[in-house]
Amino acid sequence: MAVADRMSSVTILVPMLNEQLALPETLEGIRSLDPQPDETLFIDGGSEDRSVELANSAGFKVVMAPKKGRGAQINFGVGQATSEIVCILHADSILPADAVTVIREAMADGRTGLAGFTPRIAGPTGTRWGSTVHNWIKTWYIPLLARPLLFFRGVRLLFGDHAMFFRRNQFLAIEGCDERLVVMEEADLCIKLARFGKVRIIPRWVWTSDRRITAWGRWRANWIYLKVGMMWAMGTRERLADHYPDIR
């Protein structure tokens, strides 16, 4: 691979654990990307359902992570990736068809340290506009409350549903995700990668499942998101999972 091509190569990285219900749409979304990414990796944390079978049957590479947990699986996956740019995609989310082109164009700007798409939270009954708008607003108020010095430098905190992407070598330089975190690991990455440039939100939708809102209810879901975010801001790491119920 030529140096120029290498510098714009893209890996789509999907950490997963027991995601057989969400995966079919995600797999179809990746197959629909035009152009296709240079590499797609599914990093499995020990699924006990058909997740691995579904991804393999769709023709994608699945790698078993030695340690379960989103931070640990992301760290392992980035280590396995061969592209310069890595996009972390949740297993219940669908990228826009031209995502690879958008990612390459965004990261061609050397002033960008990390970027992500704009999540649109939706399900069978349509878009959850209240939660979608709140998800955008909290990229402003969470850093204002949690990291005001960074906020006034223009840093925004993105979360997993944004389908975030960054340069692999810079991720390795900051030693990746805090593996104690099962949620909020992406917000940590925003802070660490801000040393290399701006944290940007790309004004293009990534469609993401409303399954948590469906399971928890709208008000409880937003309370959980706020509570976990503030606990993280105050330094909690290991106990966040206790306040973020698993709905798979």
Side-chain angles (χ1 to χ4, degrees), residues 64-133:
M64 308 304 294
K67 183 178 178 182
K68 180 176 73 173
R70 281 191 54 79
Q73 287 173 237
I74 291 171
N75 287 346
F76 178 74
V78 174
Q80 297 292 306
T82 60
S83 300
E84 174 57 26
I85 303 166
V86 179
C87 175
I88 308 298
L89 178 66
H90 276 198
D92 64 347
S93 300
I94 302 171
L95 291 166
D98 62 345
V100 173
T101 297
V102 174
I103 290 168
R104 286 173 176 156
E105 290 177 349
M107 298 311 291
D109 183 348
R111 296 170 297 178
T112 298
L114 175 146
F117 293 91
T118 305
R120 183 167 174 172
I121 303 170
T125 60
T127 299
R128 302 267 191 170
W129 284 112
S131 294
T132 294
V133 171

Side-chain angles (χ1 to χ4, degrees), residues 18-25 49 51 54 91 211 247-248:
N18 297 327
E19 291 285 5
Q20 68 175 15
L21 296 180
L23 270 181
E25 288 188 284
D49 62 2
S51 296
L54 290 171
R211 58 185 180 172
I247 52 84
R248 286 167 294 194

Side-chain angles (χ1 to χ4, degrees), residues 70-72 74-75 171 174-179 185 189 192:
R70 281 191 54 79
I74 291 171
N75 287 346
F171 178 94
I174 54 98
E175 299 183 348
C177 296
D178 184 339
E179 296 191 0
E185 74 283 345
L189 277 184
K192 291 179 179 179

Side-chain angles (χ1 to χ4, degrees), residues 34 40 56-57 75 85 93-94 107 143 166 173 182 188 190 201 206 208-209 215 234:
D34 184 18
T40 301
N56 279 331
S57 297
N75 287 346
I85 303 166
S93 300
I94 302 171
M107 298 311 291
F166 45 79
V182 295
D188 255 23
C190 291
I201 298 179
V206 54
T208 191
S209 172
M234 291 185 289

